[in-house]
Amino acid sequence: MATLGLRADEQEAIEKFRREAVEPSMTSLVILDFWAEWCGPCKQLTPILEKVAADYADRGVVLVKINVDEDKFIAAQFKIQSIPTVYALFQGQPVADLSSARTESQLTRTLDQILAQLPVQGEATQREAEIEPLIAMGEEVLAAGDGPRGANIFRQILDMAPEHPAALSGLARALLAAGETDQAREALANLPEGLETDPAIARARSALALAEIAPSAETGELEQRVAGNPDDLQARFDLAEAFTAGGDRDRAADQLLEIIRRERGWNDDAARTRLLQMLEAIGLEDPWAAAQRRRLSEILFG
């Protein structure tokens, strides 16, 4: 907004707007709420805007309220004709009209869409940038088989971000690798609301389910039963469980895939469920998991 030829009060209004809205919008997403004391719908919308702005503060969302009676010059610059009018401002430019979003769900859905497209820098974004390489380090250590060291790394991450799902998952899986099944189970209990269905948590739960399979000291008898009767699918499944408990994932996968090949839905799809748990626990992008997925697809769709 140019200030040349403006009255002192108008210049003051522009300076205030620049300070309170434009400058923060250089890195944050500023919600501009044009309102007035006499506006009934404004009073209904205000608590919703305040709550959502507070919830999204760490993602870089800032609420700036502009009273159209007190800031007539700014309202005129935005050509405000009715209120409430709500705009999203980023880097000094309006990027969205939020006026039609009158409920919390509508507003959050719209903000999620906007934030996914803009390089808004909130505390959460900065924290994630700091944590991401630490998560990668922890996963690398865990992949190398060092459960105790991996657990220490993930604990340090959780000190920074106590509810980070990837760190919670990593800690649980590291504890399992260290043989601390009870501690891993405890780490996955009483999770913060909303994390139960997170893919990272699902991965850790699958790893826990596999770790809780009772170890079998002898597979010879089961192998004899399978050799004597290849259609003894329960014996095959028990053999796969024994291989899993013993850490022989290749032979376990072979038996599970053979069960699926012989009878896809056997025992409420137990073989496929266990195989998918194995793949999820290892990581769906892992080369071994990818190879088993291809084998499964060939059986199901070949």
Side-chain angles (χ1 to χ4, degrees), residues 162-182:
E163 298 185 1
H164 199 289
L168 288 166
S169 172
L171 175 60
R173 288 181 289 111
L175 289 169
L176 291 172
E180 302 290 348
T181 304
D182 290 340

Side-chain angles (χ1 to χ4, degrees), residues 271-284:
R272 182 170 173 271
T273 298
R274 181 63 86 202
L275 179 62
L276 293 178
Q277 281 183 329
M278 291 175 62
L279 304 186
E280 188 171 48
I282 292 167
L284 296 180

Side-chain angles (χ1 to χ4, degrees), residues 6-25:
L6 298 180
R7 301 193 309 265
D9 60 328
E10 293 173 340
Q11 293 182 10
E12 182 180 346
I14 289 177
E15 180 55 35
K16 176 185 176 185
F17 182 76
R18 181 180 290 117
R19 184 176 61 253
E20 295 182 355
V22 175
E23 290 179 3
S25 79

Side-chain angles (χ1 to χ4, degrees), residues 44-105:
Q44 295 177 342
L45 184 60
T46 291
I48 297 173
L49 291 173
E50 291 176 345
K51 180 181 184 303
V52 171
D55 291 343
Y56 279 68
D58 66 349
R59 295 180 62 182
V61 174
V62 177
L63 175 63
V64 174
K65 300 179 65 61
I66 299 176
N67 188 318
V68 297
D69 291 333
E70 297 176 356
D71 294 305
K72 294 180 180 179
F73 183 76
I74 298 300
Q77 299 303 302
F78 279 88
K79 297 180 171 60
I80 302 301
Q81 297 180 343
S82 64
I83 52 174
T85 292
V86 184
Y87 291 139
L89 192 74
F90 183 64
Q91 294 185 345
Q93 300 296 323
V95 294
D97 186 343
L98 308 179
S99 302
S100 62
R102 297 300 179 92
T103 67
E104 182 177 346
S105 61

Side-chain angles (χ1 to χ4, degrees), residues 252-273:
D254 287 345
Q255 295 301 326
L256 293 172
L257 286 164
E258 183 61 20
I259 292 172
I260 298 168
R261 189 185 69 78
R262 289 176 179 269
E263 186 178 334
R264 292 186 184 183
W266 175 80
N267 197 19
D268 293 328
D269 221 9
R272 182 170 173 271
T273 298

Side-chain angles (χ1 to χ4, degrees), residues 4-276:
L4 187 62
L6 298 180
R7 301 193 309 265
D9 60 328
E10 293 173 340
Q11 293 182 10
E12 182 180 346
I14 289 177
E15 180 55 35
K16 176 185 176 185
F17 182 76
R18 181 180 290 117
R19 184 176 61 253
E20 295 182 355
V22 175
E23 290 179 3
S25 79
M26 292 298 106
T27 56
S28 301
L29 185 71
V30 174
I31 299 177
L32 294 178
D33 175 27
F34 292 89
W35 69 290
E37 290 286 356
W38 46 264
C39 172
C42 297
K43 294 179 180 179
Q44 295 177 342
L45 184 60
T46 291
I48 297 173
L49 291 173
E50 291 176 345
K51 180 181 184 303
V52 171
D55 291 343
Y56 279 68
D58 66 349
R59 295 180 62 182
V61 174
V62 177
L63 175 63
V64 174
K65 300 179 65 61
I66 299 176
N67 188 318
V68 297
D69 291 333
E70 297 176 356
D71 294 305
K72 294 180 180 179
F73 183 76
I74 298 300
Q77 299 303 302
F78 279 88
K79 297 180 171 60
I80 302 301
Q81 297 180 343
S82 64
I83 52 174
T85 292
V86 184
Y87 291 139
L89 192 74
F90 183 64
Q91 294 185 345
Q93 300 296 323
V95 294
D97 186 343
L98 308 179
S99 302
S100 62
R102 297 300 179 92
T103 67
E104 182 177 346
S105 61
Q106 290 173 340
L107 190 58
T108 56
R109 184 165 57 248
T110 303
L111 285 177
D112 286 339
Q113 294 171 351
I114 295 172
L115 292 171
Q117 300 175 46
L118 298 176
V120 176
Q121 299 176 17
E123 290 183 12
T125 306
Q126 296 172 3
R127 185 168 60 246
E128 188 64 30
E130 295 174 359
I131 289 174
E132 188 174 337
L134 298 178
I135 293 286
M137 180 191 301
E139 292 291 351
E140 185 176 342
V141 168
L142 184 53
D146 193 340
R149 183 171 171 232
N152 288 334
I153 292 172
F154 287 115
R155 284 193 180 100
Q156 291 177 28
I157 297 170
L158 289 170
D159 286 340
M160 301 167 59
E163 298 185 1
H164 199 289
L168 288 166
S169 172
L171 175 60
R173 288 181 289 111
L175 289 169
L176 291 172
E180 302 290 348
T181 304
D182 290 340
Q183 290 188 38
R185 189 183 301 109
E186 183 178 347
L188 293 174
N190 303 315
L191 291 169
E193 185 177 355
L195 292 189
E196 288 286 351
T197 58
D198 189 280
I201 299 301
R203 180 183 181 185
R205 289 196 184 284
S206 290
L208 177 61
L210 296 176
E212 289 179 328
I213 297 174
S216 175
E218 181 59 54
T219 61
E221 181 182 345
L222 290 170
E223 290 180 284
Q224 290 177 7
R225 285 176 56 188
V226 170
N229 181 9
D231 287 326
D232 188 344
L233 302 187
Q234 184 61 58
R236 280 191 185 279
F237 187 80
D238 292 343
L239 182 58
E241 296 284 84
F243 285 143
T244 300
D248 192 341
R249 66 185 187 185
D250 289 323
R251 298 174 75 185
D254 287 345
Q255 295 301 326
L256 293 172
L257 286 164
E258 183 61 20
I259 292 172
I260 298 168
R261 189 185 69 78
R262 289 176 179 269
E263 186 178 334
R264 292 186 184 183
W266 175 80
N267 197 19
D268 293 328
D269 221 9
R272 182 170 173 271
T273 298
R274 181 63 86 202
L275 179 62
L276 293 178

